[in-house]
Structures are given as structure tokens and as C-alpha cells.
Amino acid sequence: MTSNEQYEHAVDLLQQLGLKEYEAKCFVVLSRLPKGTAKQISDQSDVPRTRVYDATRVLEARGLVEVQHSSPQYFRAVSIDEAIATLRQQYESRFDELQDAVEGLEKSTTHDSDTVHEVWSLSGSDAIANRTQQLIGEADDEVVLILGTDAVLSEDLYESLDDAADRGVSLIVGTLVDSVREEIDRRLEAKVFLSELDWLGAHNDGYGGSARDEDTAIGRLLMVDRETIFVSSIDPISGKEQAVFGRGFSNGLVVIVRRLMATGLLASEDPGT
């Protein structure tokens, strides 16, 4: 990545964190200078000089820039570590406010409580990973997780599974790769096995198996307390992950899916039998 590309990328990220374009450009320029005047900032950022003063006032108010009241005025950015810490703190407080605001909204009473079962879809690896961890966190009795690819393994997932084990939840984890099985077995109090569902992996793309359908790769299969079923698929070309999940299925379907997920695990080793 060239210096100009890094500059543009940093500006873009700061805008995603709530800064306006001129504010982001001024901060990035100042982060590369010991200190600078409005003219120097304008020359290096293409921000009009009169707008530099507006932008730096905002940056000062947000704790990202310091001002030396001399003639001419000098500006300097706080250290990168300090700026990141400040931005993180500001956004974490907004997340807390958002949670309080949304949770305080009155719930609609139009929901059909007589629905036999529900199936919903979800897209995006981050959202799917978060939902996986949430569902594991709600488990009271059993979690059965089959990994179609070790790419979905993360420290957050390990932590969720470890917390579930500490609560006394029975963990069963299936993988397609023996080295992954050994790693999970080492780190978790779980029944870990090599799944015989080798069609879960994508064809020749590093997902850990050969697939009969080159357009399909299962990311994860999850069943929680024999009530909730969660399945994600990964596009082998784009890497995009999509998922479907549901609750309230008939007992017969749950039993079938549970048996399918345990393929490769000896019945005598299955804590759920």
C-alpha cells in the first residue's frame, strides 16, 4: 500500500468512526507532523485554510488535537495510542447509550405467540460469529457444534465454549481435521471427534474437505439444548458467510438433525445418548 493509499485509508476509517472528512484529513496530516500551522495543514491535506480552523476546533473538543495559542497558532495531534483510546472510549459509551435506549423501547404486542416454529436468516461473518456465541451463552444443557472449517474458530468462540463448560453445559465438537480436533481437545473440556460429514468442506479451497457441491461449504452447524438449530454456509469464491437458524422444531426433526451432527462419534462416547 502506497503512502497516499495509507493516507486515504486512514481518512476513511476515521470517517467511519464519526469524524467528518476535513476533520479526518487534518488529524491524519497532524499525526505525521511534530506540529503544524493552519497553512501547513491546508497545504498537505487539501483542506481550505479557513476550514482547517473549524476542523481543529472540533478535533480539540474531542481530545484529539492540542492547540498552541501563539501567532500563528500551532496544532499537534495527540499520540496515536491516546487517540485510539479516546475514540474507543467515546464509542463504547455510545454503545452503552444505544443499548439502554433500545432496551427501553416498549415492545410491540403484535407478535404471534402461537407460531409453531420460526426460521430466520443472517448474513456476514461477524454477525454470524456473534450470534453463535450468543446462542452458546444461552445454553443450559447441551451444545453440539460441527465445524466445516477451522476459519470460524476464534478466541471469542473458545471463550464462549469455555464459559458454557464452566456452567456445566455438555459440549460436543466435531471437526474435519485431526489437528484441529487435537487443538480443541487440548483447550476445552469437551467431547471432540472427527466428523464423518466430509461433504461439509469446500472443494479444494482450504476449508478442510472435499465437497460434492463446489458452490457450497458449511461453516458451522450448531444445536443448542436440542431446541435451536443454526447452520451457516460459506461461498468458496467470495468467502461470504450466510446462516439460517430457528427454534420450535418438531421433536422428530430435532432427533434426526442431532443424529446427523453426531456422525463419526461413537454412541458409547456420546453424552447425549
Side-chain angles (χ1 to χ4, degrees):
M1 185 179 293
T2 66
S3 178
N4 186 61
E5 288 173 337
Q6 288 180 321
Y7 170 82
E8 295 294 340
H9 185 52
V11 169
D12 181 59
L13 289 174
L14 285 168
Q15 288 183 264
Q16 293 179 37
L17 290 172
L19 296 187
K20 294 181 179 179
E21 180 184 1
Y22 285 169
E23 296 162 6
K25 286 184 174 181
C26 288
F27 179 80
V28 173
V29 166
L30 283 172
S31 69
R32 299 189 296 187
L33 297 173
K35 62 180 180 180
T37 63
K39 182 179 185 306
Q40 290 172 321
I41 297 171
S42 176
D43 290 343
Q44 295 192 36
S45 66
D46 295 327
V47 175
R49 186 172 175 180
T50 55
R51 300 299 301 275
V52 168
Y53 291 104
D54 296 331
T56 51
R57 273 196 294 269
V58 174
L59 292 171
E60 181 187 14
R62 297 192 64 165
L64 300 176
V65 160
E66 300 172 342
V67 181
Q68 185 180 59
H69 296 282
S70 57
S71 184
Q73 281 187 324
Y74 280 93
F75 308 91
R76 70 178 183 185
V78 301
S79 70
I80 297 300
D81 288 343
E82 185 178 344
I84 295 299
T86 297
L87 289 169
R88 179 178 287 116
Q89 184 177 21
Q90 291 172 356
Y91 267 81
E92 285 178 350
S93 66
R94 292 189 185 186
F95 291 145
D96 292 338
E97 291 177 12
L98 174 61
Q99 183 174 1
D100 291 341
V102 174
E103 289 180 346
L105 295 174
E106 184 176 350
K107 296 289 186 181
S108 172
T109 59
T110 59
H111 178 69
D112 182 5
S113 59
D114 296 328
T115 301
V116 175
H117 67 270
E118 300 175 330
V119 177
W120 299 83
S121 63
L122 190 65
S123 296
S125 294
D126 290 341
I128 291 170
N130 290 335
R131 179 58 55 84
T132 301
Q133 290 149 211
Q134 176 191 333
L135 294 174
I136 293 172
E138 296 172 353
D140 294 319
D141 180 50
E142 180 187 72
V143 168
V144 183
L145 175 63
I146 311 300
L147 303 173
T149 165
D150 59 357
V152 303
L153 273 173
S154 66
E155 288 302 317
D156 288 337
L157 180 57
Y158 272 120
E159 184 177 340
S160 297
L161 291 167
D162 197 36
D163 288 344
D166 289 343
R167 298 195 309 271
V169 174
S170 175
L171 299 182
I172 302 172
V173 182
T175 76
L176 299 178
V177 182
D178 195 48
S179 60
V180 178
R181 179 194 63 79
E182 292 175 354
E183 174 67 12
I184 297 174
D185 192 38
R186 183 182 65 82
R187 297 188 57 173
L188 294 174
E189 290 293 329
K191 175 61 66 177
V192 189
F193 69 102
L194 277 178
S195 174
E196 294 181 359
L197 303 178
D198 59 353
W199 47 266
L200 294 178
H203 178 71
N204 267 337
D205 67 349
Y207 287 112
S210 58
R212 295 176 184 176
D213 182 352
E214 296 183 7
D215 296 327
T216 303
I218 297 299
R220 62 196 98 199
L221 294 173
L222 174 68
M223 178 178 284
V224 176
D225 293 340
R226 303 198 182 203
E227 295 177 353
T228 302
I229 300 174
F230 188 77
V231 183
S232 78
S233 64
I234 299 176
D235 187 311
I237 305 301
S238 67
K240 182 178 180 180
E241 189 172 11
Q242 295 181 307
V244 293
F245 64 97
R247 292 185 173 95
F249 299 107
S250 67
N251 183 64
L253 177 60
V254 169
V255 170
I256 291 172
V257 174
R258 175 63 172 74
R259 288 177 179 173
L260 175 67
M261 294 176 70
T263 301
L265 179 63
L266 294 176
S268 60
E269 297 181 351
D270 188 342
T273 57

